[in-house]
Amino acid sequence: QVQVVESGGGLAQAGGTLRLSCSASGLRFDDRAMGWFRQAPGKKREGVSCISFNGGTIYYTDSVKGRFTISRDNAKNNVYLQMNNLKSEDTAMYYCAAGLGRYCSDTFQSYEYRYWGQGTQVTVSS
């Protein structure tokens, strides 16, 4: 049974930092791209960042470039999202997802991802 579990969300002040973690089990983690998505209240889900199976290809949505960093540890089946200089507009539920294949795209299409976590809430106060 495949499980994708996010952790690390919480409350932060504007300008602060948070680090999200995602643990995946029951799948060949090192053979899949991984992605982070977010959904704010009343808004559509959007892709935040994704990383290829070996970490060689990484994409970010424009609004987080220079502030967020995605990374993965295939030995631990984990993917991370380091979020610096947080802004109030970063407030959302953040989801981790395991891709269908080894690579992801900068269009962050939901159909490219097979398994999703339940999400972790990030709230940034201004």
Side-chain angles (χ1 to χ4, degrees):
Q1 181 180 356
V2 176
Q3 283 191 314
V4 178
V5 181
E6 305 94 339
S7 62
L11 177 65
Q13 290 187 332
T17 66
L18 282 173
R19 188 190 193 214
L20 304 184
S21 298
C22 170
S23 178
S25 60
L27 51 74
R28 179 76 185 274
F29 182 83
D30 62 359
D31 208 32
R32 293 179 184 266
M34 297 295 295
W36 285 98
F37 291 75
R38 67 186 180 186
Q39 186 167 19
K43 294 188 176 181
K44 293 176 61 176
R45 184 170 60 190
E46 65 169 346
V48 176
S49 181
C50 68
I51 185 168
S52 64
F53 72 108
N54 61 358
T57 302
I58 287 173
Y59 296 110
Y60 298 99
T61 192
D62 286 346
S63 62
V64 308
K65 285 180 180 176
R67 301 188 298 120
F68 290 11
T69 303
I70 191 171
S71 61
R72 66 188 296 158
D73 184 340
N74 285 349
K76 295 183 178 180
N77 282 17
N78 284 353
V79 62
Y80 308 98
L81 187 68
Q82 177 68 41
M83 305 187 294
N84 298 332
N85 190 21
L86 283 162
K87 303 178 180 181
S88 57
E89 51 262 44
D90 295 319
T91 295
M93 185 71 78
Y94 283 71
Y95 299 92
C96 176
L100 285 170
R102 290 186 167 190
Y103 295 95
C104 58
S105 71
D106 61 357
T107 58
F108 302 104
Q109 299 296 324
S110 295
Y111 60 74
E112 295 177 341
Y113 295 85
R114 176 67 177 85
Y115 302 102
W116 294 77
Q118 293 299 307
T120 186
Q121 177 68 38
V122 171
T123 302
V124 182
S125 63
S126 56

